[in-house]
Short mmCIF file of all heavy atoms in Angstrom, two decimals:
data_model
loop_
_atom_site.label_atom_id
_atom_site.label_comp_id
_atom_site.label_asym_id
_atom_site.label_seq_id
_atom_site.Cartn_x
_atom_site.Cartn_y
_atom_site.Cartn_z
N ARG A 54 -42.69 107.41 -95.89
CA ARG A 54 -43.02 106.01 -95.68
C ARG A 54 -44.18 105.92 -94.70
O ARG A 54 -44.15 106.53 -93.65
CB ARG A 54 -41.79 105.30 -95.15
CG ARG A 54 -41.99 103.87 -94.87
CD ARG A 54 -40.69 103.23 -94.52
NE ARG A 54 -40.94 102.19 -93.56
CZ ARG A 54 -40.03 101.43 -93.05
NH1 ARG A 54 -38.78 101.63 -93.36
NH2 ARG A 54 -40.33 100.50 -92.21
N LYS A 55 -45.18 105.15 -95.06
CA LYS A 55 -46.34 104.95 -94.19
C LYS A 55 -46.38 103.50 -93.76
O LYS A 55 -46.10 102.59 -94.54
CB LYS A 55 -47.62 105.29 -94.95
CG LYS A 55 -47.70 106.75 -95.35
CD LYS A 55 -48.96 107.03 -96.11
CE LYS A 55 -49.00 108.50 -96.50
NZ LYS A 55 -50.25 108.86 -97.15
N LEU A 56 -46.75 103.29 -92.51
CA LEU A 56 -46.88 101.93 -91.97
C LEU A 56 -48.35 101.67 -91.66
O LEU A 56 -48.94 102.34 -90.80
CB LEU A 56 -46.03 101.77 -90.72
CG LEU A 56 -44.53 101.96 -90.91
CD1 LEU A 56 -43.81 101.89 -89.56
CD2 LEU A 56 -43.98 100.90 -91.85
N TYR A 57 -48.93 100.72 -92.36
CA TYR A 57 -50.34 100.38 -92.17
C TYR A 57 -50.48 99.18 -91.25
O TYR A 57 -49.77 98.18 -91.42
CB TYR A 57 -51.00 100.07 -93.52
CG TYR A 57 -51.18 101.29 -94.36
CD1 TYR A 57 -50.19 101.71 -95.24
CD2 TYR A 57 -52.33 102.07 -94.25
CE1 TYR A 57 -50.34 102.86 -96.00
CE2 TYR A 57 -52.50 103.22 -94.99
CZ TYR A 57 -51.50 103.61 -95.87
OH TYR A 57 -51.66 104.75 -96.60
N PRO A 58 -51.40 99.26 -90.27
CA PRO A 58 -51.62 98.09 -89.41
C PRO A 58 -52.09 96.91 -90.25
O PRO A 58 -52.89 97.06 -91.18
CB PRO A 58 -52.75 98.54 -88.47
CG PRO A 58 -52.72 100.03 -88.50
CD PRO A 58 -52.24 100.40 -89.88
N ALA A 59 -51.57 95.75 -89.94
CA ALA A 59 -51.92 94.53 -90.66
C ALA A 59 -52.49 93.51 -89.69
O ALA A 59 -52.07 93.43 -88.54
CB ALA A 59 -50.68 93.94 -91.34
N TYR A 60 -53.47 92.77 -90.16
CA TYR A 60 -54.06 91.69 -89.38
C TYR A 60 -53.56 90.39 -89.99
O TYR A 60 -53.75 90.13 -91.17
CB TYR A 60 -55.59 91.71 -89.46
CG TYR A 60 -56.21 93.02 -89.09
CD1 TYR A 60 -56.71 93.88 -90.06
CD2 TYR A 60 -56.28 93.42 -87.75
CE1 TYR A 60 -57.28 95.10 -89.73
CE2 TYR A 60 -56.85 94.63 -87.41
CZ TYR A 60 -57.34 95.46 -88.39
OH TYR A 60 -57.90 96.65 -88.06
N ILE A 61 -52.92 89.56 -89.19
CA ILE A 61 -52.46 88.26 -89.65
C ILE A 61 -53.41 87.22 -89.06
O ILE A 61 -53.65 87.21 -87.86
CB ILE A 61 -51.00 88.00 -89.24
CG1 ILE A 61 -50.10 89.07 -89.85
CG2 ILE A 61 -50.56 86.60 -89.65
CD1 ILE A 61 -48.65 88.99 -89.41
N HIS A 62 -53.94 86.38 -89.92
CA HIS A 62 -54.94 85.42 -89.47
C HIS A 62 -54.80 84.13 -90.26
O HIS A 62 -54.16 84.08 -91.31
CB HIS A 62 -56.35 86.01 -89.64
CG HIS A 62 -56.55 86.69 -90.96
ND1 HIS A 62 -57.00 86.04 -92.07
CD2 HIS A 62 -56.33 87.98 -91.33
CE1 HIS A 62 -57.06 86.90 -93.08
NE2 HIS A 62 -56.65 88.09 -92.68
N ARG A 63 -55.39 83.08 -89.73
CA ARG A 63 -55.38 81.77 -90.40
C ARG A 63 -56.80 81.45 -90.86
O ARG A 63 -57.75 81.56 -90.09
CB ARG A 63 -54.89 80.69 -89.44
CG ARG A 63 -54.75 79.32 -90.09
CD ARG A 63 -54.25 78.26 -89.13
NE ARG A 63 -53.02 78.61 -88.45
CZ ARG A 63 -51.79 78.44 -88.95
NH1 ARG A 63 -51.63 77.94 -90.16
NH2 ARG A 63 -50.74 78.77 -88.25
N SER A 64 -56.92 81.05 -92.11
CA SER A 64 -58.24 80.67 -92.64
C SER A 64 -58.59 79.27 -92.16
O SER A 64 -57.72 78.53 -91.71
CB SER A 64 -58.22 80.71 -94.17
OG SER A 64 -57.49 79.60 -94.67
N PRO A 65 -59.85 78.88 -92.27
CA PRO A 65 -60.23 77.52 -91.89
C PRO A 65 -59.45 76.44 -92.64
O PRO A 65 -59.23 75.36 -92.13
CB PRO A 65 -61.73 77.45 -92.23
CG PRO A 65 -62.19 78.87 -92.13
CD PRO A 65 -61.02 79.69 -92.63
N SER A 66 -58.98 76.77 -93.85
CA SER A 66 -58.21 75.79 -94.63
C SER A 66 -56.75 75.74 -94.23
O SER A 66 -56.00 74.89 -94.70
CB SER A 66 -58.31 76.11 -96.12
OG SER A 66 -57.64 77.33 -96.40
N GLY A 67 -56.33 76.68 -93.35
CA GLY A 67 -54.96 76.69 -92.87
C GLY A 67 -54.06 77.72 -93.53
O GLY A 67 -52.92 77.92 -93.11
N THR A 68 -54.54 78.37 -94.57
CA THR A 68 -53.75 79.41 -95.23
C THR A 68 -53.60 80.60 -94.30
O THR A 68 -54.53 80.96 -93.58
CB THR A 68 -54.44 79.86 -96.54
OG1 THR A 68 -54.59 78.73 -97.38
CG2 THR A 68 -53.66 80.93 -97.24
N ILE A 69 -52.44 81.23 -94.32
CA ILE A 69 -52.20 82.43 -93.53
C ILE A 69 -52.59 83.63 -94.36
O ILE A 69 -52.18 83.77 -95.52
CB ILE A 69 -50.71 82.55 -93.12
CG1 ILE A 69 -50.23 81.29 -92.40
CG2 ILE A 69 -50.49 83.81 -92.28
CD1 ILE A 69 -50.93 81.00 -91.11
N GLY A 70 -53.39 84.51 -93.80
CA GLY A 70 -53.81 85.72 -94.49
C GLY A 70 -53.28 86.96 -93.80
O GLY A 70 -53.05 86.97 -92.60
N VAL A 71 -53.08 88.00 -94.58
CA VAL A 71 -52.70 89.31 -94.06
C VAL A 71 -53.66 90.31 -94.68
O VAL A 71 -53.81 90.36 -95.90
CB VAL A 71 -51.25 89.68 -94.43
CG1 VAL A 71 -50.89 91.06 -93.88
CG2 VAL A 71 -50.27 88.63 -93.92
N SER A 72 -54.32 91.10 -93.83
CA SER A 72 -55.30 92.08 -94.29
C SER A 72 -54.90 93.46 -93.84
O SER A 72 -54.44 93.65 -92.72
CB SER A 72 -56.68 91.76 -93.70
OG SER A 72 -57.08 90.46 -94.03
N PHE A 73 -55.10 94.43 -94.74
CA PHE A 73 -54.89 95.84 -94.44
C PHE A 73 -56.24 96.52 -94.56
O PHE A 73 -56.68 96.84 -95.67
CB PHE A 73 -53.89 96.47 -95.41
CG PHE A 73 -52.52 95.86 -95.36
CD1 PHE A 73 -52.17 94.84 -96.23
CD2 PHE A 73 -51.59 96.31 -94.45
CE1 PHE A 73 -50.90 94.28 -96.19
CE2 PHE A 73 -50.31 95.76 -94.40
CZ PHE A 73 -49.97 94.74 -95.27
N ALA A 74 -56.92 96.72 -93.44
CA ALA A 74 -58.28 97.26 -93.46
C ALA A 74 -58.33 98.69 -94.02
O ALA A 74 -59.32 99.06 -94.66
CB ALA A 74 -58.88 97.23 -92.06
N ASP A 75 -57.29 99.47 -93.81
CA ASP A 75 -57.29 100.85 -94.30
C ASP A 75 -57.40 100.93 -95.82
O ASP A 75 -57.88 101.93 -96.36
CB ASP A 75 -56.00 101.57 -93.89
CG ASP A 75 -55.93 101.86 -92.41
OD1 ASP A 75 -56.98 102.09 -91.78
OD2 ASP A 75 -54.81 101.87 -91.86
N LEU A 76 -56.96 99.89 -96.50
CA LEU A 76 -56.94 99.91 -97.96
C LEU A 76 -57.71 98.75 -98.59
O LEU A 76 -57.67 98.57 -99.80
CB LEU A 76 -55.49 99.87 -98.45
CG LEU A 76 -54.69 101.12 -98.07
CD1 LEU A 76 -53.20 100.86 -98.22
CD2 LEU A 76 -55.11 102.30 -98.92
N ALA A 77 -58.41 97.97 -97.79
CA ALA A 77 -59.17 96.81 -98.29
C ALA A 77 -58.28 95.91 -99.16
O ALA A 77 -58.66 95.49 -100.23
CB ALA A 77 -60.41 97.27 -99.05
N VAL A 78 -57.08 95.63 -98.66
CA VAL A 78 -56.11 94.80 -99.37
C VAL A 78 -55.87 93.55 -98.54
O VAL A 78 -55.73 93.61 -97.32
CB VAL A 78 -54.78 95.56 -99.58
CG1 VAL A 78 -53.71 94.66 -100.14
CG2 VAL A 78 -55.00 96.76 -100.49
N MET A 79 -55.80 92.40 -99.25
CA MET A 79 -55.51 91.14 -98.58
C MET A 79 -54.48 90.36 -99.38
O MET A 79 -54.41 90.49 -100.60
CB MET A 79 -56.78 90.30 -98.46
CG MET A 79 -57.85 90.95 -97.62
SD MET A 79 -59.41 90.05 -97.69
CE MET A 79 -59.04 88.66 -96.68
N ALA A 80 -53.68 89.56 -98.68
CA ALA A 80 -52.71 88.69 -99.31
C ALA A 80 -52.62 87.43 -98.47
O ALA A 80 -53.11 87.39 -97.35
CB ALA A 80 -51.36 89.38 -99.41
N GLY A 81 -51.97 86.41 -99.00
CA GLY A 81 -51.88 85.17 -98.24
C GLY A 81 -50.73 84.31 -98.67
O GLY A 81 -50.03 84.60 -99.63
N GLY A 82 -50.54 83.24 -97.92
CA GLY A 82 -49.49 82.28 -98.22
C GLY A 82 -49.65 81.05 -97.34
O GLY A 82 -50.47 81.03 -96.43
N ASP A 83 -48.84 80.06 -97.63
CA ASP A 83 -48.89 78.83 -96.84
C ASP A 83 -48.18 78.95 -95.50
O ASP A 83 -48.45 78.19 -94.57
CB ASP A 83 -48.27 77.67 -97.63
CG ASP A 83 -49.12 77.29 -98.83
OD1 ASP A 83 -50.35 77.44 -98.77
OD2 ASP A 83 -48.54 76.85 -99.84
N THR A 84 -47.26 79.92 -95.39
CA THR A 84 -46.55 80.18 -94.14
C THR A 84 -46.66 81.66 -93.81
O THR A 84 -47.01 82.47 -94.68
CB THR A 84 -45.05 79.81 -94.25
OG1 THR A 84 -44.44 80.71 -95.18
CG2 THR A 84 -44.85 78.36 -94.69
N VAL A 85 -46.35 82.01 -92.57
CA VAL A 85 -46.37 83.43 -92.19
C VAL A 85 -45.39 84.21 -93.05
O VAL A 85 -45.70 85.31 -93.54
CB VAL A 85 -46.04 83.60 -90.68
CG1 VAL A 85 -45.86 85.06 -90.34
CG2 VAL A 85 -47.14 82.98 -89.83
N GLU A 86 -44.21 83.65 -93.28
CA GLU A 86 -43.20 84.34 -94.08
C GLU A 86 -43.70 84.61 -95.49
O GLU A 86 -43.56 85.71 -96.02
CB GLU A 86 -41.89 83.53 -94.12
CG GLU A 86 -41.18 83.45 -92.81
CD GLU A 86 -41.74 82.38 -91.85
OE1 GLU A 86 -42.61 81.57 -92.24
OE2 GLU A 86 -41.33 82.39 -90.68
N GLN A 87 -44.32 83.60 -96.12
CA GLN A 87 -44.86 83.77 -97.47
C GLN A 87 -45.98 84.81 -97.48
O GLN A 87 -46.06 85.64 -98.39
CB GLN A 87 -45.40 82.45 -98.01
CG GLN A 87 -44.36 81.45 -98.37
CD GLN A 87 -44.97 80.11 -98.78
OE1 GLN A 87 -46.16 79.86 -98.58
NE2 GLN A 87 -44.14 79.25 -99.36
N ALA A 88 -46.83 84.77 -96.47
CA ALA A 88 -47.95 85.71 -96.40
C ALA A 88 -47.45 87.14 -96.24
O ALA A 88 -47.97 88.06 -96.88
CB ALA A 88 -48.89 85.32 -95.26
N VAL A 89 -46.45 87.34 -95.40
CA VAL A 89 -45.92 88.69 -95.18
C VAL A 89 -45.23 89.20 -96.44
O VAL A 89 -45.43 90.35 -96.85
CB VAL A 89 -44.98 88.72 -93.95
CG1 VAL A 89 -44.22 90.03 -93.89
CG2 VAL A 89 -45.78 88.49 -92.68
N GLU A 90 -44.43 88.36 -97.09
CA GLU A 90 -43.78 88.77 -98.34
C GLU A 90 -44.82 89.14 -99.40
O GLU A 90 -44.69 90.15 -100.09
CB GLU A 90 -42.88 87.66 -98.86
CG GLU A 90 -41.60 87.50 -98.08
CD GLU A 90 -40.73 86.36 -98.60
OE1 GLU A 90 -40.91 85.94 -99.77
OE2 GLU A 90 -39.86 85.89 -97.85
N SER A 91 -45.86 88.32 -99.51
CA SER A 91 -46.93 88.59 -100.46
C SER A 91 -47.65 89.89 -100.11
O SER A 91 -47.96 90.70 -100.98
CB SER A 91 -47.91 87.42 -100.47
OG SER A 91 -49.00 87.69 -101.32
N ALA A 92 -47.90 90.10 -98.82
CA ALA A 92 -48.61 91.30 -98.36
C ALA A 92 -47.83 92.56 -98.70
O ALA A 92 -48.42 93.56 -99.14
CB ALA A 92 -48.87 91.22 -96.87
N ILE A 93 -46.53 92.53 -98.51
CA ILE A 93 -45.70 93.69 -98.84
C ILE A 93 -45.82 94.02 -100.32
O ILE A 93 -46.02 95.18 -100.71
CB ILE A 93 -44.24 93.46 -98.41
CG1 ILE A 93 -44.14 93.43 -96.88
CG2 ILE A 93 -43.32 94.52 -98.99
CD1 ILE A 93 -42.82 92.90 -96.36
N ALA A 94 -45.71 93.00 -101.17
CA ALA A 94 -45.78 93.21 -102.61
C ALA A 94 -47.17 93.69 -103.05
O ALA A 94 -47.29 94.63 -103.85
CB ALA A 94 -45.42 91.92 -103.34
N VAL A 95 -48.22 93.07 -102.50
CA VAL A 95 -49.59 93.44 -102.88
C VAL A 95 -49.91 94.86 -102.41
O VAL A 95 -50.50 95.64 -103.16
CB VAL A 95 -50.59 92.41 -102.31
CG1 VAL A 95 -52.02 92.90 -102.43
CG2 VAL A 95 -50.43 91.08 -103.02
N LEU A 96 -49.50 95.19 -101.20
CA LEU A 96 -49.76 96.55 -100.69
C LEU A 96 -49.05 97.60 -101.54
O LEU A 96 -49.64 98.61 -101.91
CB LEU A 96 -49.33 96.65 -99.22
CG LEU A 96 -49.58 97.99 -98.55
CD1 LEU A 96 -51.07 98.31 -98.50
CD2 LEU A 96 -48.99 97.98 -97.15
N ALA A 97 -47.79 97.35 -101.87
CA ALA A 97 -47.03 98.30 -102.69
C ALA A 97 -47.68 98.47 -104.06
O ALA A 97 -47.83 99.60 -104.55
CB ALA A 97 -45.59 97.84 -102.82
N ALA A 98 -48.09 97.36 -104.68
CA ALA A 98 -48.72 97.45 -106.00
C ALA A 98 -50.06 98.19 -105.92
O ALA A 98 -50.38 98.99 -106.81
CB ALA A 98 -48.92 96.04 -106.57
N HIS A 99 -50.81 97.95 -104.86
CA HIS A 99 -52.10 98.62 -104.70
C HIS A 99 -51.91 100.14 -104.55
O HIS A 99 -52.60 100.92 -105.20
CB HIS A 99 -52.83 98.05 -103.48
CG HIS A 99 -54.19 98.62 -103.27
ND1 HIS A 99 -55.26 98.28 -104.05
CD2 HIS A 99 -54.64 99.52 -102.37
CE1 HIS A 99 -56.33 98.95 -103.63
NE2 HIS A 99 -55.98 99.70 -102.61
N ILE A 100 -50.96 100.53 -103.73
CA ILE A 100 -50.69 101.96 -103.53
C ILE A 100 -50.18 102.59 -104.83
O ILE A 100 -50.60 103.69 -105.19
CB ILE A 100 -49.73 102.18 -102.35
CG1 ILE A 100 -50.45 101.85 -101.04
CG2 ILE A 100 -49.19 103.61 -102.33
CD1 ILE A 100 -49.57 101.87 -99.81
N ASP A 101 -49.29 101.90 -105.54
CA ASP A 101 -48.80 102.41 -106.83
C ASP A 101 -49.96 102.64 -107.80
O ASP A 101 -50.01 103.67 -108.49
CB ASP A 101 -47.79 101.46 -107.45
CG ASP A 101 -46.43 101.50 -106.79
OD1 ASP A 101 -46.17 102.44 -106.00
OD2 ASP A 101 -45.64 100.57 -107.03
N THR A 102 -50.89 101.69 -107.85
CA THR A 102 -52.05 101.82 -108.74
C THR A 102 -52.91 103.01 -108.33
O THR A 102 -53.37 103.77 -109.18
CB THR A 102 -52.88 100.52 -108.75
OG1 THR A 102 -52.05 99.46 -109.22
CG2 THR A 102 -54.11 100.65 -109.62
N MET A 103 -53.13 103.16 -107.03
CA MET A 103 -53.92 104.30 -106.56
C MET A 103 -53.28 105.62 -106.99
O MET A 103 -53.95 106.52 -107.49
CB MET A 103 -54.05 104.27 -105.03
CG MET A 103 -54.93 103.16 -104.51
SD MET A 103 -55.00 103.11 -102.70
CE MET A 103 -56.04 104.55 -102.37
N LEU A 104 -51.97 105.73 -106.82
CA LEU A 104 -51.26 106.94 -107.19
C LEU A 104 -51.33 107.19 -108.70
O LEU A 104 -51.56 108.32 -109.13
CB LEU A 104 -49.81 106.88 -106.71
CG LEU A 104 -49.62 106.89 -105.20
CD1 LEU A 104 -48.16 106.61 -104.84
CD2 LEU A 104 -50.08 108.21 -104.59
N GLU A 105 -51.14 106.13 -109.50
CA GLU A 105 -51.21 106.26 -110.96
C GLU A 105 -52.59 106.73 -111.42
O GLU A 105 -52.71 107.45 -112.40
CB GLU A 105 -50.88 104.93 -111.62
CG GLU A 105 -49.42 104.54 -111.53
CD GLU A 105 -49.16 103.12 -111.98
OE1 GLU A 105 -50.09 102.43 -112.48
OE2 GLU A 105 -48.01 102.66 -111.81
N GLU A 106 -53.62 106.31 -110.69
CA GLU A 106 -55.00 106.67 -111.06
C GLU A 106 -55.48 107.95 -110.39
O GLU A 106 -56.63 108.34 -110.54
CB GLU A 106 -55.93 105.51 -110.74
CG GLU A 106 -55.64 104.28 -111.60
CD GLU A 106 -56.55 103.11 -111.30
OE1 GLU A 106 -57.45 103.22 -110.44
OE2 GLU A 106 -56.36 102.05 -111.94
N GLY A 107 -54.59 108.60 -109.65
CA GLY A 107 -54.95 109.85 -109.00
C GLY A 107 -55.85 109.70 -107.80
O GLY A 107 -56.53 110.65 -107.40
N ILE A 108 -55.88 108.53 -107.21
CA ILE A 108 -56.70 108.27 -106.04
C ILE A 108 -55.89 108.58 -104.79
O ILE A 108 -54.74 108.15 -104.68
CB ILE A 108 -57.18 106.79 -106.01
CG1 ILE A 108 -58.01 106.48 -107.25
CG2 ILE A 108 -57.95 106.49 -104.73
CD1 ILE A 108 -58.28 105.02 -107.46
N ALA A 109 -56.47 109.33 -103.88
CA ALA A 109 -55.76 109.68 -102.65
C ALA A 109 -55.52 108.44 -101.79
O ALA A 109 -56.41 107.62 -101.60
CB ALA A 109 -56.58 110.70 -101.85
N VAL A 110 -54.30 108.32 -101.31
CA VAL A 110 -53.94 107.21 -100.43
C VAL A 110 -54.23 107.65 -99.00
O VAL A 110 -53.71 108.67 -98.55
CB VAL A 110 -52.45 106.83 -100.60
CG1 VAL A 110 -52.06 105.71 -99.65
CG2 VAL A 110 -52.15 106.44 -102.04
N PRO A 111 -55.07 106.90 -98.28
CA PRO A 111 -55.43 107.32 -96.93
C PRO A 111 -54.25 107.21 -95.96
O PRO A 111 -53.34 106.41 -96.16
CB PRO A 111 -56.54 106.36 -96.53
CG PRO A 111 -56.30 105.14 -97.35
CD PRO A 111 -55.70 105.62 -98.64
N GLU A 112 -54.31 108.01 -94.93
CA GLU A 112 -53.33 107.90 -93.86
C GLU A 112 -53.59 106.59 -93.11
O GLU A 112 -54.74 106.16 -93.00
CB GLU A 112 -53.44 109.08 -92.90
CG GLU A 112 -52.99 110.40 -93.51
CD GLU A 112 -51.52 110.37 -93.90
OE1 GLU A 112 -50.68 109.90 -93.10
OE2 GLU A 112 -51.20 110.82 -95.02
N PRO A 113 -52.56 105.98 -92.59
CA PRO A 113 -52.76 104.75 -91.81
C PRO A 113 -53.54 105.02 -90.53
O PRO A 113 -53.41 106.08 -89.93
CB PRO A 113 -51.35 104.28 -91.47
CG PRO A 113 -50.43 105.07 -92.34
CD PRO A 113 -51.15 106.32 -92.72
N SER A 114 -54.33 104.04 -90.13
CA SER A 114 -54.99 104.11 -88.83
C SER A 114 -53.94 103.98 -87.73
O SER A 114 -52.89 103.38 -87.95
CB SER A 114 -55.98 102.96 -88.67
OG SER A 114 -57.03 103.07 -89.57
N THR A 115 -54.26 104.50 -86.57
CA THR A 115 -53.40 104.23 -85.42
C THR A 115 -53.61 102.78 -85.01
O THR A 115 -54.62 102.16 -85.36
CB THR A 115 -53.75 105.15 -84.24
OG1 THR A 115 -55.08 104.83 -83.80
CG2 THR A 115 -53.65 106.62 -84.60
N VAL A 116 -52.69 102.24 -84.26
CA VAL A 116 -52.84 100.87 -83.78
C VAL A 116 -54.10 100.76 -82.93
O VAL A 116 -54.87 99.79 -83.06
CB VAL A 116 -51.59 100.41 -83.02
CG1 VAL A 116 -51.82 99.07 -82.35
CG2 VAL A 116 -50.39 100.33 -83.96
N ASP A 117 -54.34 101.74 -82.06
CA ASP A 117 -55.54 101.70 -81.21
C ASP A 117 -56.82 101.69 -82.05
O ASP A 117 -57.75 100.94 -81.77
CB ASP A 117 -55.56 102.88 -80.25
CG ASP A 117 -54.52 102.76 -79.15
OD1 ASP A 117 -54.03 101.63 -78.90
OD2 ASP A 117 -54.17 103.79 -78.54
N ALA A 118 -56.87 102.53 -83.09
CA ALA A 118 -58.05 102.57 -83.95
C ALA A 118 -58.21 101.26 -84.72
O ALA A 118 -59.32 100.76 -84.88
CB ALA A 118 -57.96 103.74 -84.93
N ALA A 119 -57.11 100.69 -85.17
CA ALA A 119 -57.17 99.41 -85.89
C ALA A 119 -57.65 98.30 -84.97
O ALA A 119 -58.46 97.45 -85.38
CB ALA A 119 -55.80 99.08 -86.47
N MET A 120 -57.18 98.29 -83.74
CA MET A 120 -57.62 97.26 -82.79
C MET A 120 -59.10 97.43 -82.46
O MET A 120 -59.84 96.45 -82.37
CB MET A 120 -56.79 97.33 -81.51
CG MET A 120 -55.34 96.90 -81.70
SD MET A 120 -55.15 95.19 -82.21
CE MET A 120 -55.74 94.35 -80.76
N ALA A 121 -59.57 98.67 -82.30
CA ALA A 121 -60.98 98.91 -82.02
C ALA A 121 -61.84 98.42 -83.18
O ALA A 121 -62.88 97.79 -82.97
CB ALA A 121 -61.22 100.39 -81.74
N ALA A 122 -61.41 98.70 -84.41
CA ALA A 122 -62.16 98.26 -85.58
C ALA A 122 -62.17 96.73 -85.67
O ALA A 122 -63.20 96.12 -85.98
CB ALA A 122 -61.55 98.85 -86.85
N ALA A 123 -61.05 96.11 -85.38
CA ALA A 123 -60.96 94.65 -85.42
C ALA A 123 -61.87 94.03 -84.37
O ALA A 123 -62.55 93.04 -84.63
CB ALA A 123 -59.52 94.19 -85.22
N ASN A 124 -61.89 94.61 -83.19
CA ASN A 124 -62.73 94.07 -82.12
C ASN A 124 -64.21 94.28 -82.39
O ASN A 124 -65.04 93.53 -81.88
CB ASN A 124 -62.34 94.69 -80.77
CG ASN A 124 -61.05 94.10 -80.25
OD1 ASN A 124 -60.78 92.92 -80.41
ND2 ASN A 124 -60.22 94.93 -79.64
N ALA A 125 -64.57 95.28 -83.21
CA ALA A 125 -65.96 95.53 -83.55
C ALA A 125 -66.45 94.61 -84.67
O ALA A 125 -67.65 94.46 -84.85
CB ALA A 125 -66.13 96.99 -83.97
N ASP A 126 -65.54 93.98 -85.38
CA ASP A 126 -65.89 93.11 -86.50
C ASP A 126 -65.79 91.66 -86.04
O ASP A 126 -64.69 91.17 -85.78
CB ASP A 126 -64.92 93.36 -87.66
CG ASP A 126 -65.26 92.55 -88.91
OD1 ASP A 126 -65.99 91.54 -88.79
OD2 ASP A 126 -64.76 92.91 -89.98
N PRO A 127 -66.92 90.94 -85.97
CA PRO A 127 -66.88 89.57 -85.46
C PRO A 127 -65.93 88.65 -86.22
O PRO A 127 -65.33 87.76 -85.66
CB PRO A 127 -68.32 89.08 -85.60
CG PRO A 127 -69.14 90.28 -85.79
CD PRO A 127 -68.24 91.36 -86.32
N GLU A 128 -65.77 88.88 -87.54
CA GLU A 128 -64.86 88.04 -88.32
C GLU A 128 -63.40 88.34 -88.02
O GLU A 128 -62.56 87.47 -88.18
CB GLU A 128 -65.14 88.23 -89.81
CG GLU A 128 -66.47 87.64 -90.24
CD GLU A 128 -66.68 87.73 -91.72
OE1 GLU A 128 -65.70 87.87 -92.47
OE2 GLU A 128 -67.84 87.65 -92.14
N MET A 129 -63.09 89.54 -87.60
CA MET A 129 -61.71 89.93 -87.34
C MET A 129 -61.35 89.85 -85.86
O MET A 129 -60.18 89.76 -85.52
CB MET A 129 -61.44 91.36 -87.82
CG MET A 129 -61.54 91.54 -89.31
SD MET A 129 -60.28 90.63 -90.23
CE MET A 129 -58.81 91.49 -89.71
N SER A 130 -62.34 89.89 -84.98
CA SER A 130 -62.04 90.05 -83.56
C SER A 130 -61.54 88.80 -82.88
O SER A 130 -60.99 88.87 -81.78
CB SER A 130 -63.28 90.59 -82.82
OG SER A 130 -64.32 89.65 -82.87
N GLU A 131 -61.70 87.65 -83.49
CA GLU A 131 -61.25 86.42 -82.85
C GLU A 131 -59.75 86.50 -82.60
O GLU A 131 -58.96 86.68 -83.51
CB GLU A 131 -61.58 85.23 -83.74
CG GLU A 131 -61.67 83.93 -83.02
CD GLU A 131 -62.23 82.86 -83.92
OE1 GLU A 131 -63.39 82.98 -84.33
OE2 GLU A 131 -61.47 81.94 -84.21
N GLY A 132 -59.35 86.43 -81.36
CA GLY A 132 -57.94 86.45 -81.01
C GLY A 132 -57.38 87.81 -80.69
O GLY A 132 -56.25 87.92 -80.26
N PHE A 133 -58.15 88.88 -80.87
CA PHE A 133 -57.69 90.23 -80.54
C PHE A 133 -58.17 90.60 -79.15
O PHE A 133 -59.34 90.45 -78.84
CB PHE A 133 -58.22 91.27 -81.52
CG PHE A 133 -57.57 91.21 -82.86
CD1 PHE A 133 -58.12 90.47 -83.89
CD2 PHE A 133 -56.38 91.88 -83.08
CE1 PHE A 133 -57.52 90.42 -85.13
CE2 PHE A 133 -55.77 91.82 -84.32
CZ PHE A 133 -56.34 91.10 -85.34
N GLU A 134 -57.27 91.09 -78.32
CA GLU A 134 -57.66 91.56 -76.98
C GLU A 134 -56.80 92.73 -76.60
O GLU A 134 -55.73 92.90 -77.05
CB GLU A 134 -57.52 90.45 -75.96
CG GLU A 134 -58.49 89.33 -76.25
CD GLU A 134 -58.49 88.27 -75.15
OE1 GLU A 134 -58.15 88.59 -73.99
OE2 GLU A 134 -58.81 87.15 -75.46
#
């Protein structure tokens, strides 16, 4: 089992988004609960597809590395400290 760092954010329209930078996967919902449930399903489907196609699944970033990447990206860094 691998645990990938997730970024939870709110779009300007108010939708809650969840992003997994290690896999370029995003999901969303109207509430945090909906967004997280969607993110789990989307991430699992994405990894299953990668495995079916013979694509190597990357190791998860460490939390420190994920935070550093988020802070380096102006779109992601808002609210990260």
Side-chain angles (χ1 to χ4, degrees):
R54 179 173 147 179
K55 296 179 180 184
L56 298 175
Y57 288 90
Y60 306 105
I61 300 175
H62 44 90
R63 184 179 307 276
S64 74
S66 67
T68 302
I69 305 297
V71 180
S72 303
F73 298 94
D75 289 328
L76 295 163
V78 173
M79 297 172 74
D83 292 329
T84 67
V85 172
E86 292 81 9
Q87 288 175 347
V89 169
E90 286 179 20
S91 177
I93 291 167
V95 169
L96 182 62
H99 183 75
I100 290 173
D101 285 346
T102 299
M103 290 177 74
L104 293 171
E105 288 170 6
E106 294 180 1
I108 299 168
V110 178
E112 290 298 314
S114 295
T115 64
V116 172
D117 289 341
M120 291 298 293
N124 285 324
D126 183 341
E128 291 185 21
M129 294 295 293
S130 65
E131 203 170 296
F133 287 94
E134 295 186 27

